[in-house]
Amino acid sequence: MKIVVCVKRVPDTTTQVKVGPDGTSLDAAGVTFANNPYDEYAVEEALKIKEKTGPGEVIVISVGPAEAAQILRNFLAMGADRAILLKETAPGRDNFGVASALAGEIKGLAPDIVLCGKQAVDDDGAQVGAIVARLLGMPVVNTVTKIELAAGKAVAHREIEGGHEVVEVSLPAAFTAQKGLNEPRFPSLKGIMAAKKKPFEEKPAPAAEPRLTVIKMEPPAKRPAGRILGKGVEAIPALVKALHDEAKVI
Amino acid sequence: MPGPILVFVEARDAKVKKPSLEAVSEARRLANTLSVPVVAALFGAGVKPSAAALAHYGADRICVADSPTLALYSTDGYARLLADLVKQLEPQAVLLSASAMGKDLAGYLAGHLETSVAADCIGLAVVDGKLQARRPVYAGKAVVTCSFGRLPALVTLRPNVFPAQAPDPARSAPIEEVAVPFGLADLKSVVKEIAGAAGKKIELTEANIIVSAGRGIRGPENFNIIEELAASLGAAVGTSRAVVDAGWRPHEDQVGQTGKTVSPTLYFAIGISGAIQHLAGMSSSKFIVAINKDPDAPIFKIADYGIVGDLFEVVPALTKEFKAYFGR
Ligand SMILES: Cc1cc2nc3c(=O)[nH]c(=O)nc-3n(C[C@H](O)[C@H](O)[C@H](O)COP(=O)(O)OP(=O)(O)OC[C@H]3O[C@@H](n4cnc5c(N)ncnc54)[C@H](O)[C@@H]3O)c2cc1C
Ligand SMILES: Nc1ncnc2c1ncn2[C@@H]1O[C@H](COP(=O)(O)O)[C@@H](O)[C@H]1O
């Protein structure tokens, strides 16, 4: 099995977001970047599938700045076989721009399986996996918590409101990983050493005409300052009154 | 001649979902500004009887694909039908709800149309005759305004944010049947079954009231007091990641950056400290109530109403109060 996993470098989830001087993007000063958490599930699943199905290759690929090389190395240390960085010089690529760059590169690799995270926790689109899949002419199963392979087919469980769909697709196919799919392994010291010698390819990401342009970024609307109504059960009448009179929700 | 606004209407078990009524209502508001019609697309098996009511929310024309092939959702099948409608109608915008189905379908449709999606939007506006979308990024820690470089604008709408308008039963619209030019065997992805509690419990992302409990609840056996409070309010039950990681509740109940994003009218955070990743999933709730024994818990910074106290005392007493209030 040849498996391609799309991975993204994102701000750590504890980041306090500040709008940058351009007014349209994140102020990256002082921000720590990390693997997109959902992509860790995707890479883990790829490694598991490879371990189960015998000889194969796990290729990690990212569209991002030169610094994104670090997260590709993190995934090589986890066990991926080689990495491709499609370097971009300006941020702000929309989800089609990312997907078309990825699909262009993945096409030449002719994988059996493409894995993505269900969502990148920076722009929170949850769209790139499906766009890549469609551009490659593959079916996609989004937000999966289980993948079972059998003779050119896959059956995947996909989370929906209050339950899950059991979806059958023929391979090649794409999947986007939801939490619960597996427990990502930690890179071992040996893995970290080995990662330094694994093939690492870098090339410029092809230009893409923008479809969606951010014209403004702002902090979210501030919530009005809250009130402590009191201590323990004695505060209950005040809460019921506030919910009735002010919030008008009951 | 600028194109119509096309709205994909989601049905499960042949019933139209509430977020889709919100989407039709929002399409109506935009269409009034733009002076264009609203076309609703409804796919499924046995959905035709639900079509007429879409006019009450503002549809001017309703395209229905009603076939046993569409009984269960298929990304491939539904996207093909919707892409065909887009080709035929040349809409300037396609609206879907940001539900599991809507998000899935929007992405695949974007691939068909070679365009991007403005996902999970919380505001839409017409500026100089052009659509702009507002959407949260970085788990709600910032909001961006986007313009569209290419039409149709593909947009998914966060449930519970856009108000559904009061239905006007006097409104009617022509209903057209859309042929389904494929069978299950032609599809690249097929849903074999829907498992789990689908439809049986109140879904977090659609709930009007959510009662969430965190690690302060001490163990899965204590969730009954949370369930009872939720039942007294007709609320859904949510939780924090600490609880999910401990294996006390399933991941589907998790609210937060790596769980669900919710915006109910009322959110109870009980025994939840208020970590930034939890706030990311619920800080757009209209009203937040926090119950925590630690007066310095960060959750009190964003809660509209706080009670400092032991949840094991406060929650049962609160349930009793609501039961009496609602006469349940
Ligand atoms: C990448 C990443 C993603 C994450 N995603 C999420 C996410 O999606 N959702 C999420 O929730 N978290 C997420 N987290 C975890 C988050 O950082 C916190 O660890 C988590 O939210 C804490 O859960 P908690 O508030 O239930 O537990 P705690 O922080 O342990 O808080 C328990 C609270 O209960 C109170 N308490 C204890 N006993 C009582 C009592 N008897 N009565 C009243 N109050 C009591 C305590 O005062 C305390 O405030 C994520 C973390 C990371 C690193
Ligand atoms: N710049 C990128 N490079 C590689 N993969 C990406 C990139 N952006 C998104 N992806 C993949 O697509 C998934 C969904 O991203 P998004 O649609 O942006 O939420 C991520 O979890 C990644 O697997």
Side-chain angles (χ1 to χ4, degrees):
Chain A
M1 288 267 176
K2 191 189 252 185
I3 306 170
V4 173
V5 193
C6 305
V7 297
K8 189 175 192 188
R9 172 184 183 261
V10 297
D12 181 275
T13 54
T14 54
T15 302
Q16 303 283 351
V17 169
K18 268 209 326 227
V19 178
D22 62 358
T24 60
S25 66
L26 169 77
D27 182 352
V31 172
T32 318
F33 287 86
N35 304 336
N36 181 38
Y38 294 103
D39 302 350
E40 297 184 350
Y41 302 113
V43 172
E44 176 61 36
E45 196 65 13
L47 296 174
K48 278 226 171 79
I49 292 172
K50 183 184 146 182
E51 284 157 10
K52 227 185 264 169
T53 55
E57 193 179 25
V58 174
I59 306 166
V60 284
I61 177 167
S62 189
V63 176
E67 294 83 356
Q70 183 53 50
I71 67 136
L72 286 167
R73 291 224 170 75
N74 297 346
F75 289 119
L76 290 175
M78 243 175 101
D81 299 296
R82 64 182 171 106
I84 304 171
L85 173 59
L86 301 176
K87 252 202 293 196
E88 60 179 350
T89 43
R93 208 176 253 268
D94 58 24
N95 41 43
F96 182 80
V98 170
S100 59
L102 290 170
E105 187 65 26
I106 295 171
K107 196 169 207 137
L109 301 169
D112 303 288
I113 291 174
V114 174
L115 278 159
C116 288
K118 74 136 192 183
Q119 182 170 339
V121 302
D122 50 2
D123 71 17
D124 289 329
Q127 300 297 330
V128 166
I131 305 178
V132 168
R134 180 62 189 82
L135 293 177
L136 293 168
M138 289 182 189
V140 66
V141 193
N142 271 310
T143 54
V144 298
T145 52
K146 186 172 173 184
I147 303 174
E148 281 171 335
L149 299 174
K153 281 196 172 152
V155 174
H157 288 202
R158 141 177 164 73
E159 210 173 88
I160 62 167
E161 289 83 7
H164 59 262
E165 290 174 337
V166 181
V167 191
E168 187 178 276
V169 291
S170 50
L171 299 184
F175 304 89
T176 69
Q178 167 68 310
K179 185 184 175 196
L181 180 60
N182 52 45
E183 266 318 312
R185 66 195 70 183
F186 289 102
S188 64
L189 194 57
K190 205 171 131 217
I192 295 168
M193 296 311 288
K196 293 186 177 140
K197 294 191 207 88
K198 288 179 177 172
F200 195 113
E201 202 181 331
E202 265 185 47
K203 48 179 127 176
E209 171 212 336
R211 267 77 168 159
L212 200 59
T213 307
V214 173
I215 51 180
K216 188 162 67 181
M217 182 184 283
E218 26 182 3
K222 262 222 161 72
R223 297 192 65 90
R227 288 205 318 268
I228 302 262
L229 299 175
K231 281 204 179 124
V233 290
E234 277 128 60
I236 289 177
L239 176 61
V240 174
K241 190 167 174 353
L243 292 179
H244 182 79
D245 296 352
E246 292 173 21
K248 300 190 168 52
V249 283
I250 62 167
Chain B
M1 179 59 192
I5 296 182
L6 178 62
V7 186
F8 171 75
V9 175
E10 173 173 345
R12 292 260 186 204
D13 298 324
K15 279 201 246 359
V16 169
K17 304 283 283 184
K18 180 171 161 269
S20 291
L21 300 178
E22 297 167 7
V24 174
S25 304
E26 181 62 15
R28 178 75 264 154
R29 289 185 281 269
L30 295 170
N32 288 347
T33 313
L34 291 162
S35 306
V36 295
V38 173
V39 184
L42 175 64
F43 304 163
V47 289
K48 209 163 161 226
S50 307
L54 298 173
H56 304 168
Y57 291 88
D60 296 305
R61 182 175 161 191
I62 301 148
C63 299
V64 182
D66 194 334
S67 153
T69 310
L70 305 175
L72 294 178
Y73 172 69
S74 157
T75 310
D76 184 24
Y78 278 45
R80 282 201 225 176
L81 284 176
L82 197 53
D84 284 347
L85 276 180
V86 168
K87 256 184 224 126
Q88 191 193 315
L89 299 167
E90 299 185 354
Q92 55 182 305
V94 183
L95 271 48
L96 305 91
S97 49
S99 58
M101 190 191 288
K103 282 194 253 185
D104 183 79
L105 183 55
Y108 214 58
L109 180 67
H112 267 274
L113 304 175
E114 306 208 338
T115 194
S116 285
V117 182
D120 207 19
C121 294
I122 55 168
L124 294 173
V126 178
V127 178
D128 298 331
K130 293 206 175 88
L131 195 63
Q132 289 186 356
R134 276 166 58 79
R135 51 182 305 271
V137 292
Y138 303 105
K141 290 180 238 172
V143 177
V144 291
T145 304
C146 307
S147 63
F148 296 88
R150 192 188 253 237
L151 300 184
L154 277 192
V155 180
T156 61
L157 274 55
R158 179 175 287 189
N160 261 346
V161 171
F162 297 86
Q165 68 188 45
D168 173 3
R171 249 182 138 271
S172 69
I175 297 174
E176 284 162 47
E177 287 191 32
V178 176
V180 181
F182 49 77
L184 283 180
D186 305 315
L187 295 177
K188 284 192 173 131
S189 58
V190 175
V191 173
K192 291 292 184 188
E193 61 173 309
I194 295 187
K200 287 195 194 72
K201 60 179 188 183
I202 305 169
E203 165 55 25
L204 277 175
T205 53
E206 295 167 4
N208 192 39
I209 305 181
I210 293 174
V211 177
S212 280
R215 187 146 51 190
I217 195 79
R218 284 197 215 128
E221 67 283 2
N222 298 329
F223 257 88
N224 63 330
I225 66 168
I226 301 300
E227 304 269 6
E228 278 165 28
L229 174 59
S232 76
L233 288 161
V237 175
T239 194
S240 70
R241 171 157 163 183
V243 165
V244 173
D245 285 353
W248 302 346
R249 299 291 286 186
H251 173 250
E252 67 204 43
D253 289 359
Q254 182 182 320
V255 171
Q257 182 150 18
T258 47
K260 288 185 171 147
T261 305
V262 296
S263 27
T265 309
L266 180 58
Y267 187 92
F268 285 86
I270 301 172
I272 291 178
S273 57
I276 193 163
Q277 297 97 346
H278 189 80
L279 304 187
M282 44 66 79
S283 58
S284 63
S285 304
K286 289 199 188 74
F287 291 94
I288 297 171
V289 174
I291 302 171
N292 199 302
K293 68 175 185 190
D294 173 7
D296 297 323
I299 191 73
F300 286 124
K301 288 213 182 76
I302 72 144
D304 299 275
Y305 308 118
I307 296 182
V308 178
D310 184 345
L311 72 90
F312 293 100
E313 287 166 19
V314 176
V315 172
L318 193 55
T319 306
K320 217 168 132 199
E321 191 73 26
F322 284 136
K323 274 194 181 148
Y325 183 92
F326 291 110
R328 285 184 185 159

